[in-house]
Amino acid sequence: MNENTMIKVLFESRLAYLPVIRKAIHGICSAVVQNPQILADLDLCVSEAVSNVIFHSYKNESGHEIQLIVSLFSTKIELQIIDLGLKDAAV
């Protein structure tokens, strides 16, 4: 990959979407990562982070927006998970 690529994915705060999110991350990141163990680690990392957002930031409520931004570079991958949280969610 010669140039930087940024992909944004918006999804609702539902645990049922985690398998789809994992497959999306796997597919996107496989453009620059060939090592299956690293891809599995990325899948696990994103799954854990997104489930933490759903449980702790949104108190397991569906209907809230989560944004996932994947930036692919020639030497690295950046993953951002963005949520708005609930005002009274404990940190």
Side-chain angles (χ1 to χ4, degrees), residues 8 10 19 24 26 38 43-44 49 52 54 59 61 64 70 72 86-87:
K8 294 181 183 180
L10 295 174
H26 189 90
I38 292 173
D43 294 346
L44 178 62
N52 282 341
I54 294 169
K59 297 183 178 180
E61 292 179 7
H64 302 285
V70 182
L72 302 174
L86 298 176
K87 286 185 179 183

Side-chain angles (χ1 to χ4, degrees), residues 53 57-58 65-67 81-86:
V53 166
S57 186
Y58 291 137
E65 183 179 288
I66 299 173
Q67 183 177 16
I81 298 167
I82 302 167
D83 68 276
L84 299 176
L86 298 176

